[in-house]
Amino acid sequence: MARLRSLPGIFLQAATLHLSPSLATKSNFIGTQSPIINNIHTDTMAKHLSDLSFKRIRVATQQDIDRLYPVLAAYVQNPDLASTVTELVIDPPSWPGRRYAFRHEDQQALTPAQGPDEVAAHKQIEAHARALGLGSEATTSMLQSLSWKFSGQPPPSTDPHSHNPNSDRGFASAASTLLLSLCPNITLLHAHGLEHAPPPLVDFFLRNNYGLLPAGTHLQRLERVHLQAWNPYDNREYDRLEFLDYFRFFGRLPALRTYSADAVVEYQADREVAVPGSSPSITKFTLTNSEVSGDMLGTIIRVPRALEELTLSLGGLSFFEGGMPVVNPKTLGKCLLEHKATLKKLHLDIACMISQRNREEAEEDPYQDEEDDDYVYGKDEYFRLDEQAGNGRPLRSFDLPNTRRYGLTIGSLHDFEALEHLAISVRLMLGPVVRDYHVMSQQRQQGETVIPPFRLVDALPRTLKSLHLYDYVVGECPLADEHVKELKEKMADTFPFLAELSGLDEPLIKNSKYDEGSGYDEENPSELAVLRVHNRGLDWEFT
């Protein structure tokens, strides 16, 4: 594929020629490439640079990558230009040189002219890269990528899937790193696959999050990180995600409040433990239309020091290996207890993956016989820093004490003193007996009855303002009918603030319809698979 050899300023100025910010929409900005680039004089570049005030920058496609160098040149020469950027999209799996990466048509190769102004800008970019204070390997790699991009040389004929600095993939990592450090007002980061990005980007995230960069911490205004593939390999399938790595990338940033992810799956996770309470700022976690085991969910829930909002909706898509994980209600309940004083909103639409066991995800620590504890738990220097900031609670959920009776339920929520909004499956509150009443009512598991150990009305907090009960169908289970009838009778006296109610008379069915792994049907595609294309709209945006 022919490469577009872009220059600081030259390609950028051509891309905006004759366009004011109000007219330069994504449709006429993306892919604006013209032979007149070679006829543009440097003395007109400054005028057009002043028109480049972006709100959102995307680093995903070949065209995105080809336009990044002139943007960097503009930002190091005029830092005020970078202050308008509030959103950044980074999707390494879509970068060139990655298996299944997004493919583009061949682009016209342009021969750059390297005048004194361009060389000066290049030196400024290099100076900024050195001043970041990354490790020597990451800095060397970044400088090599920048030099390669500026020279316009073709990539060497090596493994296209390697982390070669002399490649568009290597340059994309370097450029993303520089953007993150140059744009002080980023509040929203859309990302996917950062854990598999070339070294400069990963090194920056880790050192920045733990305050180890000599120039200080960047991303001071980052409020939300949303993890979702910009370009899914297959809209019908989940994308893999290393959930716990992102706490190490962003979990300590002072303004970060929301960690959200959509259409992702836990698959052979490289990191399975994280330090409870080590993220002081995150108060909201949202995971939608995904597949994650109960053990991983419990670990994720316990990393924030004080959650205020938790939204989980599991299922809806397919996984190439088939099957689906299970979530044990007791595991989830014990982990939620650590936030009972702060949790205001709880949304649990996970009935399609509820386990029928009444024990934690693991009977015992699977690594207890390993001699190298640091290795099996991934206890590197950053893990040690998290331990210093954590709350001292056990790493694994199965080591948490039993403070109440669970049976096959999530446990009573009566003492969640801050909880105002609750949306939850009746199967979580009363157990799987709701669905399989005639079978399970005759069974006992591990000596404990399958009948819930509390009354539904007594298991809800008086502070509720809204209640949505998923998956309850009148007449399906006599036990559930009995509990719901009692709830209705005592509701007015027990919940004085309750103003919004649903699911007690008419069924409220959402992701539980994807039970038994039926996330995608060729004849009747899941609406979730169709909706995934919305992320493709995250284009470059002018302010």
Side-chain angles (χ1 to χ4, degrees):
M1 182 176 72
R3 293 186 61 250
L4 177 62
R5 300 175 183 177
S6 56
L7 280 180
I10 301 300
F11 172 76
L12 181 63
Q13 182 249 313
T16 59
L17 194 62
H18 308 310
L19 296 176
S20 68
S22 61
L23 297 177
T25 62
K26 67 179 183 180
S27 59
N28 54 31
F29 180 78
I30 297 296
T32 305
Q33 303 163 21
S34 169
I36 66 171
I37 291 178
N38 290 326
N39 300 322
I40 300 299
H41 297 291
T42 304
D43 58 1
T44 65
M45 181 174 64
K47 175 181 180 298
H48 294 283
L49 287 178
S50 63
D51 292 336
L52 291 173
S53 296
F54 294 107
K55 176 182 178 181
R56 181 194 299 128
I57 293 178
R58 187 187 66 200
V59 188
T61 72
Q62 179 71 56
Q63 289 178 324
D64 295 339
I65 295 170
D66 281 330
R67 84 177 58 156
L68 286 175
Y69 204 119
V71 173
L72 296 176
Y75 286 0
V76 295
Q77 293 176 93
N78 187 351
D80 288 343
L81 286 175
S83 65
T84 63
V85 179
T86 59
E87 297 182 29
L88 192 60
V89 182
I90 306 178
D91 191 4
S94 293
W95 294 349
R98 174 89 176 176
R99 288 177 176 86
Y100 313 128
F102 191 65
R103 302 301 179 189
H104 301 272
E105 297 179 359
D106 288 351
Q107 301 175 17
Q108 180 183 7
L110 303 174
T111 303
Q114 298 184 354
D117 290 340
E118 288 79 20
V119 172
H122 177 71
K123 290 182 177 179
Q124 281 185 268
I125 296 174
E126 289 186 320
H128 183 84
R130 292 189 183 96
L132 283 179
L134 301 180
S136 58
E137 180 180 352
T139 301
T140 300
S141 175
M142 188 157 47
L143 292 173
Q144 189 175 343
S145 297
L146 294 169
S147 178
W148 170 81
K149 187 66 174 181
F150 181 65
S151 71
Q153 297 298 313
S157 56
T158 58
D159 180 4
H161 309 300
S162 65
H163 290 327
N164 191 331
N166 294 340
S167 66
D168 282 311
R169 182 170 171 77
F171 171 70
S173 178
S176 298
T177 302
L178 293 174
L179 284 173
L180 290 162
S181 65
L182 287 166
C183 302
N185 295 322
I186 295 175
T187 59
L188 174 58
L189 177 65
H190 300 264
H192 174 250
L194 298 181
E195 63 271 37
H196 302 302
L201 192 55
V202 173
D203 196 35
F204 172 82
F205 281 134
L206 288 171
R207 290 173 181 261
N208 184 68
N209 185 52
Y210 289 90
L212 301 179
L213 294 177
T217 303
H218 303 277
L219 299 174
Q220 291 284 301
R221 294 182 174 87
L222 184 64
E223 299 173 358
R224 180 186 175 193
V225 172
H226 180 67
L227 307 177
Q228 182 180 1
W230 175 82
N231 178 48
Y233 173 58
D234 189 329
N235 283 339
R236 302 167 299 178
E237 294 186 356
Y238 303 103
D239 291 291
R240 304 177 193 176
L241 189 71
E242 291 287 340
F243 291 91
L244 301 183
D245 280 349
Y246 290 85
F247 287 111
R248 290 158 59 91
F249 292 163
F250 310 109
R252 290 171 168 236
L253 298 180
L256 186 66
R257 296 293 180 267
T258 303
Y259 174 169
S260 61
D262 183 72
V264 291
V265 63
E266 170 199 358
Y267 178 72
Q268 297 182 355
D270 293 333
R271 191 172 304 280
E272 297 181 353
V273 295
V275 178
S278 57
S279 179
S281 60
I282 295 177
T283 60
K284 180 179 180 180
F285 179 76
T286 300
L287 177 65
T288 51
N289 311 315
S290 300
E291 283 194 7
V292 185
S293 69
D295 197 28
M296 178 61 74
L297 279 178
T299 300
I300 292 171
I301 290 171
R302 299 175 64 224
V303 175
R305 190 169 297 170
L307 271 182
E308 295 180 4
E309 297 185 29
L310 175 65
T311 298
L312 302 176
S313 67
L314 303 185
L317 296 173
S318 296
F319 184 44
F320 73 93
E321 282 197 349
M324 60 169 49
V326 294
V327 177
N328 191 283
K330 181 178 178 180
T331 298
L332 194 58
K334 291 175 70 172
C335 295
L336 285 174
L337 279 177
E338 300 197 4
H339 304 290
K340 69 177 184 178
T342 58
L343 198 61
K344 298 178 181 178
K345 179 180 179 180
L346 181 60
H347 181 154
L348 299 177
D349 183 16
I350 64 174
C352 62
M353 297 183 188
I354 293 177
S355 169
Q356 296 186 6
R357 303 185 306 171
N358 61 344
R359 47 196 168 93
E360 281 74 40
E361 301 300 315
E363 289 295 312
E364 56 188 13
D365 189 344
Y367 302 126
Q368 63 179 346
D369 296 328
E370 297 284 348
E371 295 182 359
D372 191 346
D373 185 62
D374 288 357
Y375 172 75
V376 298
Y377 283 121
K379 291 186 177 180
D380 56 11
E381 59 178 309
Y382 303 110
F383 191 96
R384 298 297 183 190
L385 291 172
D386 281 340
E387 285 185 316
Q388 297 175 17
N391 57 22
R393 304 281 287 169
L395 286 178
R396 294 279 186 170
S397 60
F398 53 74
D399 288 326
L400 293 173
N402 291 309
T403 59
R404 62 194 62 197
R405 296 177 62 195
Y406 290 92
L408 300 182
T409 76
I410 197 173
S412 175
L413 305 176
H414 71 280
D415 53 350
F416 279 60
E417 57 194 47
L419 191 59
E420 297 178 345
H421 305 282
L422 176 63
I424 192 168
S425 172
V426 68
R427 300 182 202 169
L428 274 175
M429 293 303 302
L430 301 181
V433 66
V434 172
R435 181 182 177 190
D436 303 308
Y437 176 74
H438 295 292
V439 176
M440 295 195 65
S441 62
Q442 305 300 320
Q443 297 177 351
R444 290 178 177 270
Q445 296 190 5
Q446 305 225 347
E448 188 170 347
T449 179
V450 297
I451 303 301
F454 47 71
R455 305 301 297 176
L456 178 60
V457 68
D458 297 328
L460 302 175
R462 290 178 55 85
T463 51
L464 285 183
K465 294 180 179 179
S466 68
L467 173 63
H468 304 281
L469 196 62
Y470 293 135
D471 309 312
Y472 171 63
V473 179
V474 178
E476 183 180 63
C477 171
L479 175 68
D481 291 340
E482 177 187 325
H483 278 261
V484 170
K485 179 182 179 182
E486 181 183 21
L487 175 63
K488 289 180 177 180
E489 293 172 349
K490 298 181 178 180
M491 188 177 301
D493 295 331
T494 308
F495 308 106
F497 310 107
L498 191 63
E500 187 177 336
L501 182 67
S502 67
L504 273 64
D505 297 310
E506 295 295 328
L508 188 59
I509 310 295
K510 292 199 173 182
N511 276 27
S512 61
K513 62 188 174 186
Y514 303 121
D515 206 352
E516 306 301 336
S518 58
Y520 187 81
D521 182 351
E522 292 286 353
E523 301 299 326
N524 183 26
S526 163
E527 66 269 23
L528 301 177
V530 177
L531 289 174
R532 293 193 68 191
V533 300
H534 84 280
N535 216 33
R536 297 291 295 276
L538 297 175
D539 219 329
W540 294 57
E541 182 178 333
F542 282 94
T543 58

